[in-house]
Amino acid sequence: MKKWMIMALLAAVLTGCQRYEAAPEHGAEAEIGTGIETGMESGTGIEHTEEPGAESKEESAEEDQSGSPDGNPQIYITQETGDPAAERTPVKVKGIYVSAYVAGTEAMMDEIIRQIDETELNAVVIDVKDDNGRITFDMDSPTVKEINAAKDYIPDMEALAARLKEHDIYMIARIPAFRDPYLAEAKPEWCCKRKDGSIFRDRNKLAWVNPYKKEVWDYLIEVAKKAGELGFDEIQFDYIRFCTEKGMGNVVFDEADTLGRDRQDIILEFVEYAYEELAKEGLFVSADVFGAVIGGGTDAELVGQDYGEMAGVLDYICPMIYPSHYGDGNFGIAHPDTEPYQTIYAALGGSKRDLEGYLASASLASREAKAAVVRPWLQDFTASYLKHHIKYGPEQVRAQIQAVYDAGYEEWILWSAAVKYHYDGLLPAEAESRTE
């Protein structure tokens, strides 16, 4: 095994880098949702939202955690804002997640850039803010400076951005939104609190910020705009939801903040606010969502994610539909993790039906509506924590990608918390420009 691979795997284990935690073992405390269980998201370091019902706990260095995907009619919209500098040219993304640690390690990035140059890949998703709430490089931002949030994982973000642009690589900034233990501790007046005034913490002892607080929104936009200034093409919000653990029943949201709005109302309002602020800066805006929210229902209400309404605002919606995140029997599949093609195809079918329904209802209400491009997260890790699982390699990665295409979609991103990908499951670089 190459030295850079060993370093990446070691880093993943040491940082506990997970997007969302693996599905709790049988007997673990279940979340208040019907399909969503506690610890959905990654606990520390590099996070990427996994789907409800299957969060990834620390796995061995040989196994990664997951990300997010979904599907919808591909509608590419170049935003006209009146400012020529803010016009945006879309890219059909075929990407991978890259942790801040790896992004800040030159030898590892050399190898990743080489692989991107040699395969069909054309994009990277990089942690600008990690799952602990730390900004991953020195950022000249008032609030970041005030709370000393920056950690020097990426020593020279400007230089890295320049290298990626030299290779025509599309840059996506991953920014976890409302699970931000660092901000919650630094600004306790912005965090979720229990009835007795104490800070709410999830089962991993991490605090969450209050999605109803406009100050939190402004902090996220402040960070996002700085990422755009440094060269990122797109802002991707993760943890754009409420915590769903049982302890949330003791959390009190002040009526002065809620103003009668429910969870889905406020998450949608944040998405609208973020889109308005960032699109005019020439940035594309996307969000990771749980696959379980497709079709609505209790889970969607608990996390605060309305799939159709969010898609009606965003440029891209990124459902996390890793096969390992679906329980036995989902989609009529005995063990979804063992059937990567069928699971992805079925999940994207649900997404398409959901979004078609949303567009139809908007039309009936004489309301203008668009549908975001669906860009699913696909699984490139082995879910050994499941009783019924298979080892994921090139064949399983390719099967998921083919399912995306067969379902009528064109974009996808691979998730591996250890940033260890099966590049031999990808096609060689195409002759035409990556931006076509």
Side-chain angles (χ1 to χ4, degrees):
M1 183 178 289
K2 294 183 180 180
K3 183 177 180 181
W4 75 270
M5 290 183 178
I6 296 173
M7 293 171 66
L9 294 174
L10 179 60
V13 174
L14 293 177
T15 60
C17 59
Q18 308 170 23
R19 185 171 195 176
Y20 279 25
E21 300 180 14
E25 298 294 358
H26 299 304
E29 179 185 46
E31 292 184 342
I32 51 182
T34 56
I36 301 174
E37 300 178 10
T38 51
M40 285 192 285
E41 302 171 323
S42 90
T44 59
I46 315 164
E47 158 200 12
H48 197 202
T49 28
E50 298 180 340
E51 297 227 301
E55 330 256 287
S56 27
K57 295 177 182 175
E58 289 187 6
E59 300 177 298
S60 72
E62 288 299 315
E63 295 151 353
D64 306 317
Q65 274 69 24
S66 28
S68 63
D70 201 44
N72 165 51
Q74 301 296 328
I75 302 175
Y76 291 90
I77 301 174
T78 298
Q79 196 71 10
E80 299 288 347
T81 64
D83 176 4
E87 293 183 8
R88 307 171 305 163
T89 303
V91 170
K92 293 182 181 179
V93 164
K94 299 177 181 180
I96 57 173
Y97 163 77
V98 176
S99 71
Y101 176 84
V102 171
T105 305
E106 188 173 2
M108 295 180 184
M109 283 308 298
D110 285 344
E111 176 62 13
I112 286 173
I113 290 172
R114 184 183 72 80
Q115 293 287 357
I116 292 174
D117 285 343
E118 295 180 359
T119 66
E120 62 189 308
L121 292 171
N122 66 354
V124 290
V125 179
I126 297 175
D127 282 328
V128 164
K129 183 155 79 77
D130 69 17
D131 294 353
N132 289 319
R134 302 306 295 268
I135 305 303
T136 59
F137 51 86
D138 184 34
M139 180 178 285
D140 185 19
S141 159
T143 309
V144 171
K145 295 289 188 184
E146 177 193 343
I147 65 176
N148 194 30
K151 198 169 180 64
D152 197 20
Y153 290 119
I154 305 174
D156 193 339
M157 189 64 239
E158 289 188 25
L160 175 59
R163 287 187 65 206
L164 293 172
K165 293 303 179 185
E166 285 175 5
H167 291 261
D168 198 19
I169 297 172
Y170 185 79
M171 295 172 57
I172 303 173
R174 178 176 172 269
I175 299 179
F178 303 120
R179 181 179 176 176
D180 188 333
Y182 191 87
L183 180 63
E185 302 290 352
K187 296 279 190 180
E189 65 274 21
W190 296 354
C191 74
C192 293
K193 294 182 180 179
R194 298 186 180 90
K195 296 175 183 178
D196 63 5
S198 61
I199 295 175
F200 164 78
R201 289 183 173 81
D202 61 25
R203 65 194 181 103
N204 292 318
K205 309 302 181 185
L206 301 176
W208 289 62
V209 290
N210 185 347
Y212 286 102
K213 291 290 187 183
K214 177 66 161 39
E215 296 90 341
V216 173
W217 298 11
D218 289 334
Y219 174 65
L220 293 169
I221 300 308
E222 180 183 316
V223 170
K225 287 183 177 179
K226 286 295 181 183
E229 290 175 9
L230 286 167
F232 283 92
D233 303 289
E234 177 180 325
I235 305 301
Q236 183 183 86
F237 291 106
D238 205 347
Y239 287 105
I240 190 167
R241 69 175 184 87
F242 284 76
C243 180
T244 58
E245 295 185 18
K246 286 182 177 178
M248 280 293 289
N250 295 319
V251 171
V252 174
F253 297 106
D254 195 312
E255 178 59 29
D257 292 324
T258 65
L259 299 176
R261 296 168 294 181
D262 64 21
R263 294 184 180 195
Q264 288 181 319
D265 289 337
I266 203 63
I267 294 300
L268 182 60
E269 282 191 29
F270 168 71
V271 170
E272 292 171 336
Y273 179 73
Y275 188 87
E276 181 179 351
E277 289 294 317
L278 299 175
K280 66 186 180 184
E281 300 292 326
L283 293 163
F284 286 99
V285 184
S286 61
D288 300 330
V289 298
F290 283 143
V293 307
I294 295 172
T298 303
D299 289 337
E301 294 170 2
L302 288 169
V303 299
Q305 294 175 345
D306 185 309
Y307 191 69
E309 293 290 344
M310 290 175 70
V313 177
L314 297 159
D315 294 304
Y316 303 94
I317 192 161
C318 305
M320 297 166 283
I321 52 174
Y322 310 114
S324 63
H325 288 173
Y326 290 99
D328 292 349
N330 266 276
F331 308 120
I333 301 171
H335 309 300
D337 185 68
T338 68
E339 301 288 350
Y341 176 91
Q342 289 86 342
T343 301
I344 297 300
Y345 187 82
L348 291 177
S351 168
K352 182 171 291 187
R353 289 190 295 274
D354 214 17
L355 293 176
E356 287 175 348
Y358 162 72
L359 291 172
S361 64
S363 177
L364 288 173
S366 298
R367 183 162 58 97
E368 184 178 349
K370 71 169 187 176
V373 172
V374 175
R375 183 199 291 153
W377 280 95
L378 304 180
Q379 176 173 329
D380 195 355
F381 63 92
T382 296
S384 61
Y385 48 85
L386 296 177
K387 180 178 180 181
H388 300 287
H389 71 278
I390 61 173
K391 185 173 180 60
Y392 272 59
E395 180 181 347
Q396 288 70 33
V397 169
R398 195 72 230 166
Q400 293 175 87
I401 293 172
Q402 189 60 48
V404 172
Y405 297 152
D406 291 349
Y409 306 113
E410 300 178 287
E411 303 191 35
W412 43 266
I413 311 177
L414 300 179
W415 173 263
S416 163
V419 196
K420 179 188 175 188
Y421 296 99
H422 293 93
Y423 295 108
D424 43 352
L426 304 177
L427 300 179
E430 298 175 345
E432 63 267 24
S433 167
R434 299 185 195 282
T435 59
E436 293 181 349

